[in-house]
Amino acid sequence: AVCSADALQERLAWLQKAMADLVKSGQLTGPERGDVVKSTAAKLEAVQVEIATARSQGKDKRADKLEVTAKQLQELHDAADKAKAIEPRAPADALSEVATAYRQILALRNMEARAKADNKLLSIEQARQVGQIPELQDKMRDVIAAHRGWFEDQEEVAARFAPARAAAQAAQKKAQAQQQARANANAGWSSVGGNSSKHLSRPAGGASKGRGGGGSGGAFALLGESDM
């Protein structure tokens, strides 16, 4: 259904108030602030043309209504233009949730890679854990979407959640280093007495047929990752 002029004005007023509240409370990032300034300037110019047209046609009531809208747009434009942009950072709880899920996915991918490199099959429990990757991806995607700004593009979202990505990658790197240290220690013990552990570490069996690379799943793209 086509909205009436009055209904459109009401919606615009609501949107302007919501945006104005964000501006006044200092909740706009740099790109959002720029978008508000640009969009309100364009809308203001269009409204001023409508006002001039309405006046020339003797439609003073319509012109008066448009004058109110123009004033609101000007106030919003000026507030955004003078506002100080906030740092593009997601809330702490959202960062924690995304980092936890991301870290779990990285660990599972690493487990798959090690099994494949060692020519081993995943155990039933390991396969079950790997099967949870799509659920973890969905969780990440939902949290990110819930905290995405009105005017944010993918790059801006990735920037806000960059601390979560960095924390997860650092934790995974540390875990891998600890794993390698334990593996080296075990290899040293198994070689004592001249007995090679080579054949013990590569039992017969086909390569893992897990989920493979898995792709980005959408959530990784939002974090600035093109692939997993």
Side-chain angles (χ1 to χ4, degrees), residues 167-190:
Q169 291 173 336
Q172 179 58 21
K173 185 176 181 180
K174 181 178 180 180
Q176 285 179 304
Q178 293 173 338
Q179 266 182 351
Q180 187 60 51
R182 287 195 295 268
N184 292 341
N186 291 336
W189 279 106
S190 64

Side-chain angles (χ1 to χ4, degrees), residues 15 20 42 64 91 131 145 153 164 166 174 198 210 220:
L15 179 60
D64 290 341
D153 59 24
K174 181 178 180 180
K198 177 179 179 182
F220 299 113

Side-chain angles (χ1 to χ4, degrees), residues 115-121 197-207:
K116 184 176 182 179
D118 292 340
N119 197 28
K120 293 181 178 179
L121 292 171
S197 62
K198 177 179 179 182
H199 298 295
L200 294 176
S201 63
R202 297 182 65 83

Side-chain angles (χ1 to χ4, degrees), residues 8-31:
L8 286 174
Q9 289 299 323
E10 288 178 5
R11 292 185 182 184
L12 178 59
W14 176 87
L15 179 60
Q16 289 169 348
K17 184 180 184 305
M19 292 170 64
D21 289 342
L22 288 175
V23 173
K24 293 176 181 177
S25 60
Q27 296 302 309
L28 292 182
T29 64

Side-chain angles (χ1 to χ4, degrees), residues 24-46:
K24 293 176 181 177
S25 60
Q27 296 302 309
L28 292 182
T29 64
E32 288 177 327
R33 174 181 167 277
D35 285 338
V36 171
V37 171
K38 184 177 179 180
S39 64
T40 51
K43 287 184 176 68
L44 182 58
E45 183 177 352

